[in-house]
């Protein structure tokens, strides 16, 4: 037994609330010495099932004998291998190599099938184009030739496209670097919160890539409102995520939940965003706009309803 608390009346509000939680079999997670506390139960097939969800408590009879007896046996493990017994006893932590191999084979098979279909279609179109070029008659362009002169035209929502490309490249770099450090063992599970801290720090530092990619693409499509492009790249996606996070956290504050993020942490996140990510995004955009962009020498003069013209200064 970890702790004991006595209530004066069975009608006590706290007692009724705790009793309801016990009847609903609530559980919680404990962390002792940077190790999660696990509970192992013996199943009918003589196998142990271990989980990190610790029962909130249990009822006792008039003799103060608990209905559920939890016993633990002392174990001796080295400090370097203190996670081994937890990973070995939790079935969901084991790598399912058969499922991974099955998924890889399925992806390779489908990729080969799609590549074969595209290759046959491309060969047929190339053969038809060769016959048309050798013929003296003027033939109307069809197939792939309809779009080869229009692929470099600016889209209708060019600003939004550049903003999303910049934010996507920022997220990609954050995930790549975080996984790299995690694979090297720098982000140990014993250090709680290290993975999230590394991800947020890398997201803020990779703002320079977001500004560069967005500015380079915006200049390529002929955009002229570069200030709006940089500002939207640095604020649209992070701002939407922050608003959703703040609303959810506000609900946790109102409910008095212990999992609510403290106000000081929110201020630190805002400072990291406005003082690190935003300036780096402007620096990356400066390099992106300074770099020379070579446009294709040929553009089709057809008018399409779904293609827009270049943006002009107001």
């Amino acid at each position: 037994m970890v702790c004991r608390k006595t209530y004066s009346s069975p009608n006590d509000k706290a007692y009724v609330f705790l009793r309801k939680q016990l009847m609903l079999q609530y559980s919680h997670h404990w962390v002792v010495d940077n190790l999660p506390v696990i509970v192992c139960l013996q199943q009918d097939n003589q196998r142990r099932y271990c989980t990190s969800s610790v029962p909130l408590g249990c009822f006792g009879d008039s003799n103060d004998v608990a209905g559920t007896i939890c016993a633990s046996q002392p174990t001796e493990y080295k400090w370097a291998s203190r996670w081994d017994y937890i990973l070995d006893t939790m079935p969901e932590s084991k790598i399912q190599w058969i499922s991974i191999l099955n998924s890889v084979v399925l992806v390779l098979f489908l990729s080969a099938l799609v590549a074969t279909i595209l290759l046959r279609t491309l060969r047929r179109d190339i053969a038809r184009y060769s016959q048309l070029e050798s013929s003296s008659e003027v033939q109307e362009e069809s197939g792939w030739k309809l779009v080869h002169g229009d692929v470099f035209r600016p889209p209708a929502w060019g600003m939004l496209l550049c903003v999303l490309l910049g934010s996507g490249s920022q997220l990609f770099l954050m995930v790549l670097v975080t996984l790299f450090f995690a694979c090297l063992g720098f982000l140990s599970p014993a250090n709680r919160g290290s993975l999230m801290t590394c991800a947020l720090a890398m997201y803020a530092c990779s703002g320079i890539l977001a500004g560069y990619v967005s500015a380079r693409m915006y200049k390529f499509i002929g955009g002229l409102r570069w200030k709006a492009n940089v500002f939207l790249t640095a604020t649209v996606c992070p701002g939407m995520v922050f608003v959703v996070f703040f609303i959810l956290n506000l609900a946790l504050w109102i409910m008095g939940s212990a999992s609510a993020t403290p106000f000081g942490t929110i201020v630190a996140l805002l400072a990291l965003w406005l003082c690190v990510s935003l300036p780096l995004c402007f620096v990356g955009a400066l390099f992106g706009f300074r770099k020379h962009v070579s446009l294709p020498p040929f553009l089709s003069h057809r008018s399409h309803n779904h293609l827009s013209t270049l943006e002009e200064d107001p």
Side-chain angles (χ1 to χ4, degrees), residues 294-312:
S294 58
L295 296 176
F298 171 76
L299 287 177
S300 177
H301 294 285
R302 292 189 186 89
S303 60
H304 297 280
N305 295 329
H306 64 281
L307 296 176
S308 65
T309 58
L310 298 178
E311 297 185 35
E312 298 180 356

Side-chain angles (χ1 to χ4, degrees), residues 174-191:
M174 178 201 72
V175 173
L176 186 64
V177 176
T178 304
L179 289 179
F180 176 75
F181 283 113
C183 292
L184 292 181
F186 291 105
L187 304 178
S188 174
N191 187 8

Side-chain angles (χ1 to χ4, degrees), residues 219-266:
K219 184 178 181 180
F220 181 79
I221 65 176
L224 301 175
R225 295 183 298 170
W226 63 273
K227 294 181 181 179
N229 171 256
V230 179
F231 181 77
L232 292 176
T233 303
T235 56
V236 169
C237 291
M240 293 175 60
V241 174
F242 181 79
V243 168
V244 174
F245 166 75
F246 183 78
I247 293 175
L248 295 177
N249 194 68
L250 184 62
L252 293 177
W253 277 345
I254 296 175
M255 297 299 296
S257 175
S259 60
T261 304
F263 181 76
T265 304
I266 295 180

